[in-house]
Amino acid sequence: MALLNRRHLLGLGIGAVAATQLPLPAFSEGEVEAHGISAFGDLKYPPNFPHFDYVNIAAPKGGVFSTVPSTRAFNQSFLTFNSLNAYVLKGDGAQGMGLTFDSLMARAGDEPDAMYGLVAKSVRISPDGLNYRFTLRKEARFHDGSPLTARDVAFSLNTLKTQGHPIITQQIREMVKAEALDDATVLVTFAPNRARDVPLFVAGLPIFSAAYYAKHPFNESTLEPPLGSGPYRVGRFEVGRYIELERVKDWWAADLPVNRGAYNFDTVRYDYYRDRDVAFEGFTGRSYLYREEFTARIWNTRYDFPAIKDGRVKRELLPDETPSGAQGWFLNTRRDKFKDPRVREAIGNAFDFEWTNSSIMYGAYKRTVSPFQNSDLMATGLPSPEELALLEPFRGKVPDEVFGQPYVPPVSDGSGQDRAMLRRASQLLQQAGCVMKDGKRLTAQGEPFRIEFLFDEPAFQAHHMPFIKNLATLGIEATPRIVDPVQHRARRDDFDFDVTIERFSFSTVPGDALRSFFSSQSASTKGSNNLAGIADPVIDALTDQLIAADTRTKLVVAARALDRVIRSGRYWVPQWYAPSHRVAYWDVFGHPDKLPRYGGVGVPELWWSTAPSSSHAPAK
C-alpha cells in the first residue's frame, strides 16, 4: 500500500501556508460574477431562486429507501463492492458514495447542463474562459464539523487529476491546476481550447478533506468510511451484500436552493445480488423496496405476485426523454482478428435482433443504431451541407458510405437464422481473407476463428445462444464466458476480452467525456470506456471539432458527422433500448408529479416516504 511519506506531508503543509499568504488578485476586466454555469451560458433560474421547480419542498423527511444498483460509474459494479473509494481504479466501489460528498455546484434536472452554486456561492469567469474563480460559502462544513475551505477544493481537484480513476483524469486533463487564493476563494485554471464541459465536470467533482487524506492514501481501495460533507454518511455495510447511507440531520447545505425538497430519506440502502432472478425474488419478498426493471421477460411475466394484485406494490412506466446512448457487444479491435471492419460487420449480421426482441424480450425494445440514439445528435438521411463541410477534408480516409446514408444494421426476416444476412456475412468474411477449411472458419492470420463473449450476468445468456448458433453456421466457434464481477471488472479494465457488453450514454450537450469512449489516447488507457479500442485520427479530429463547437447548432452538426464515421467502423454489434423506465415499488413512496427531463427517475434524491415509521423498513 502506498502511503504519503513525510515529504508529501510537508508539501501539503507548505501549500496550506502559501495559500494563506497569496494576495487575492483583483477582478479582471470583463469578468462577471454568476450564480451558475452552463455550456453555452444559458440559465433557467435567476439569482436567489428559492428551489428547483420540480421538487416537492413539502416532502417529509424520514423513512428508508432501498434498492439494487441500477447505474454505475468509474470503478463501481452492479453485483458487488469491496471498497468505499469509488473514485480510483482499484477495487469495486460501493454504490451511493457520491451522496457523501459535496461539490462546488449542483446540476439542475430540468436543464440539459446547467449547474448552480452548492459549496461555491458564485463564480467569476475570465473573458477567455480559462480562469474560474469560485467564492465558497463560509458555512460549508465536513461531517466532523471542520470547515470546508478552498484548500480542500484545490487538494481534491489536483489529486483527482493525478490519482483519480483514469476516466476522471482524462476528463480533467485540460484543467491545468486549482489554487487556494485564500480560505474562501479557489482559482481553477484551464488550458487554451479546453472542452466546453470540462468546467462543468470539475464543478461537479467530489470535495475531499485535505486533512483527512494527509493521514490516508487516496489511491487505494479501503473499507474505512471517508470524511465527507454531503447529505449522507456511510452507515452499516457488509462487503458484497449491502451498504446503508445515513442522512446527516445537521447537514450544513440542507436549506440551499439546490437542495430544498431533496435528500428526504433517513436511510438509503443498496442491496447486492449476483443473480437477477434471485434479486427479483428479493423484491417480491420485500427485502428491498424499489426496483427498476431492466429485463422485459420479468416485467411481462412475473409481476403478478400477490402484492401487485392487492396494490401493495405499484408499477409505473416513467418516460425516458434523455439520449439512450449505445448498448451492445463491443468488439476488441486491439486483437488482430477484429481489425478488419468487414469481419466486424459479418459478426453483426449473425445477430438477429428481430427474432430476439419478439421471442425473448416480448417486443419491448427498439434497435439501437447510434451512440447518440434517441437524440437530435444522431445522423439520419444524407449529410447536410454543414456536415459535408466537416467531412470533405477526410474523403479518402473514411469509407464512402460516410457521405451517404448512415449505416444501419440490417433488418432480419425474424426467423432467427436469416439466410440472406448470413450469406452476406460469409461473403464479407471471405473478402477479409477469413476462409473456410474443413468446415471451420480461419482468421486472416490462418488461425481457427474463435470468439469468447465475456459477461458477468447469467440473465444475458439467453440472448447470446442464438447469436452463437448463427456464428457457428459461419464456421466461427463462439463461447459464452460468465465470470464473477471482480474478475469481469479486472478483465474489462485491462481490455482482456474478445467481446463484451456495455451500455453508455451522453448528455444532450456532450463534450470532453467523448474522448474516454472514442479517442486514440483512451484506446491505450487502462480502465477507459474505449472498449472497442477505437484509434482513428479522423474520429479524433471530429471529436475535437464537436468539443470546440461554440453554439448548439455547430455541436449538432459535428455530432452527426462524428456519428457517421463511428457507425461506418462497425465497432460494436448494436443491441436495444427502451423508451421508458419500468419501475416498481412497495407503496411507501411518493415522487414529484412531473420528474425532471434530465434527472432520470429521480431516485433516491427527489422521492420521499409516505409510510408510518413502523412501515419504513424492508422485511428481513
Side-chain angles (χ1 to χ4, degrees):
M1 181 177 293
L3 297 172
L4 286 173
N5 59 31
R6 185 170 181 272
R7 180 171 175 271
H8 289 123
L9 294 174
L10 285 173
L12 289 173
I14 292 169
V17 173
T20 62
Q21 295 178 344
L22 280 174
L24 183 63
F27 291 135
S28 300
E29 183 178 353
E31 282 188 351
V32 177
E33 190 168 24
H35 64 294
I37 57 177
S38 73
F40 297 116
D42 302 321
L43 295 176
K44 170 184 175 180
Y45 294 94
N48 300 318
F49 70 97
H51 56 78
F52 291 134
D53 290 345
Y54 48 82
V55 301
N56 174 13
I57 58 171
K61 304 292 185 184
V64 175
F65 178 87
S66 57
T67 186
V68 291
S70 59
T71 61
R72 64 184 179 189
F74 309 131
N75 67 350
Q76 292 175 335
S77 166
F78 292 125
L79 305 180
T80 190
F81 77 96
N82 54 30
S83 174
L84 299 181
N85 188 346
Y87 298 99
V88 296
L89 184 61
K90 295 181 181 179
D92 292 281
Q95 289 280 332
M97 292 306 296
L99 295 172
T100 69
F101 298 106
D102 282 325
S103 55
L104 287 168
M105 292 188 158
R107 286 193 179 272
D110 54 352
E111 297 177 83
D113 66 339
M115 302 185 77
Y116 297 89
L118 202 171
V119 170
K121 66 179 180 181
S122 63
V123 59
R124 284 181 174 268
I125 307 170
S126 63
D128 61 6
L130 301 184
N131 293 293
Y132 280 59
R133 188 190 337 226
F134 295 93
T135 300
L136 309 191
R137 301 180 193 273
K138 294 182 179 179
E139 64 269 31
R141 291 289 184 273
F142 288 103
H143 293 155
D144 64 355
S146 61
L148 190 164
T149 70
R151 175 174 172 260
D152 298 297
V153 177
F155 164 78
S156 302
L157 298 181
N158 292 326
T159 299
L160 286 168
K161 179 179 174 66
T162 57
Q163 301 182 53
H165 191 281
I167 294 173
I168 298 176
T169 61
Q170 183 170 15
Q171 287 193 228
I172 62 173
R173 71 187 185 284
E174 291 175 347
M175 184 197 83
V176 177
K177 59 182 176 179
E179 303 169 88
L181 302 181
D182 60 21
D183 283 349
T185 312
V186 62
L187 177 65
V188 183
T189 304
F190 298 95
N193 301 317
R194 54 89 178 162
R196 82 180 67 79
D197 63 334
V198 176
L200 300 171
F201 185 74
V202 167
L205 286 171
I207 299 172
F208 308 115
S209 165
Y212 175 86
Y213 283 104
K215 300 176 182 178
H216 300 78
F218 176 79
N219 63 347
E220 297 288 341
S221 61
T222 180
L223 291 173
E224 178 178 325
L227 176 61
S229 60
Y232 290 87
R233 58 164 57 94
V234 175
R236 301 187 307 156
F237 65 88
E238 186 174 336
V239 173
R241 294 193 61 190
Y242 73 89
I243 181 170
E244 292 182 350
L245 304 166
E246 301 172 347
R247 186 167 64 87
V248 178
K249 302 295 179 62
D250 59 350
W251 182 35
W252 73 271
D255 201 40
L256 294 179
V258 294
N259 294 324
R260 289 181 187 137
Y263 308 113
N264 302 307
F265 297 103
D266 279 349
T267 302
V268 173
R269 174 180 169 119
Y270 295 93
D271 285 286
Y272 289 81
Y273 293 83
R274 297 295 184 99
D275 183 274
R276 287 194 184 193
D277 285 338
V278 176
F280 176 76
E281 294 301 330
F283 178 70
T284 65
R286 207 170 182 270
S287 293
Y288 59 95
L289 301 173
Y290 171 93
R291 176 179 176 86
E292 182 168 0
E293 185 56 68
F294 295 100
T295 305
R297 170 181 57 84
I298 294 177
W299 183 257
N300 284 277
T301 64
R302 298 182 64 181
Y303 279 83
D304 58 355
F305 49 94
I308 287 280
K309 295 177 179 179
D310 62 26
R312 287 177 294 147
V313 170
K314 290 185 174 181
R315 289 207 300 171
E316 287 191 64
L317 288 174
L318 301 176
D320 183 1
E321 299 178 280
T322 59
S324 62
Q327 176 174 305
W329 287 281
F330 286 82
L331 310 177
N332 189 356
T333 63
R334 300 170 187 86
R335 303 199 164 173
D336 288 340
K337 58 189 170 186
F338 299 124
K339 288 191 180 299
D340 193 316
R342 293 171 295 187
V343 171
R344 302 195 292 268
E345 181 176 343
I347 292 170
N349 276 22
F351 173 56
D352 191 327
F353 166 76
E354 284 68 32
W355 182 90
T356 302
N357 192 34
S358 63
S359 301
I360 298 178
M361 303 187 298
Y362 295 84
Y365 294 95
K366 296 181 179 179
R367 186 78 190 265
T368 297
V369 301
S370 163
F372 301 116
Q373 192 74 40
N374 199 33
S375 78
D376 62 349
L377 306 178
M378 183 175 71
T380 58
L382 296 174
S384 66
E386 293 79 11
E387 290 174 65
L388 285 174
L390 294 182
L391 293 169
E392 279 295 345
F394 307 112
R395 191 177 287 274
K397 299 178 181 178
V398 295
D400 289 343
E401 75 174 46
V402 167
F403 300 92
Q405 297 284 342
Y407 175 74
V408 175
V411 176
S412 79
D413 60 11
S415 66
Q417 201 169 41
D418 187 305
R419 293 188 177 185
M421 286 173 58
L422 291 175
R423 185 163 52 250
R424 172 59 178 159
S426 182
Q427 292 170 351
L428 288 166
L429 289 168
Q430 287 289 134
Q431 293 168 11
C434 300
V435 300
M436 293 286 284
K437 184 177 180 181
D438 300 328
K440 300 292 184 182
R441 184 73 60 177
L442 300 181
T443 67
Q445 294 75 38
E447 301 171 348
F449 206 133
R450 297 188 178 98
I451 299 176
E452 180 184 86
F453 287 90
L454 181 71
F455 53 105
D456 61 358
E457 291 194 58
F460 272 113
Q461 193 157 4
H463 306 78
H464 282 78
M465 301 322 293
F467 190 5
I468 287 172
K469 181 179 178 181
N470 282 343
L471 288 171
T473 302
L474 297 173
I476 296 174
E477 180 185 340
T479 56
R481 173 75 168 172
I482 306 176
V483 298
D484 67 76
V486 175
Q487 185 180 357
H488 182 268
R489 168 61 57 179
R491 290 187 60 179
R492 181 196 183 280
D493 288 344
D494 288 336
F495 308 123
D496 181 20
F497 60 85
D498 284 341
V499 182
T500 194
I501 295 175
E502 189 58 272
R503 178 181 184 269
F504 59 80
S505 60
F506 303 109
S507 75
T508 56
V509 190
D512 202 60
L514 294 170
R515 291 194 171 106
S516 178
F517 295 87
F518 304 132
S519 73
S520 298
Q521 180 184 12
S522 66
S524 58
T525 300
K526 181 178 179 180
S528 82
N529 287 317
N530 192 345
L531 299 182
I534 299 172
D536 183 342
V538 175
I539 290 177
D540 292 340
L542 289 173
T543 300
D544 288 343
Q545 295 193 49
L546 189 159
I547 291 171
D550 56 7
T551 67
R552 174 72 188 177
T553 299
K554 291 179 181 178
L555 182 146
V556 170
V557 169
R560 292 175 179 175
L562 175 63
D563 186 25
R564 293 176 188 277
V565 178
I566 291 173
R567 287 157 69 176
S568 75
R570 315 292 197 268
Y571 294 107
W572 54 304
V573 180
Q575 290 183 342
W576 48 81
Y577 73 99
S580 59
H581 298 279
R582 299 179 291 245
V583 302
Y585 53 93
W586 287 81
D587 191 15
V588 292
F589 298 135
H591 65 71
D593 292 335
K594 183 172 177 57
L595 291 165
R597 177 176 181 179
Y598 305 103
V601 293
V603 294
E605 292 84 358
L606 304 180
W607 292 42
W608 61 87
S609 177
T610 61
S613 58
S614 60
S615 302
H616 287 325
K620 298 298 178 189

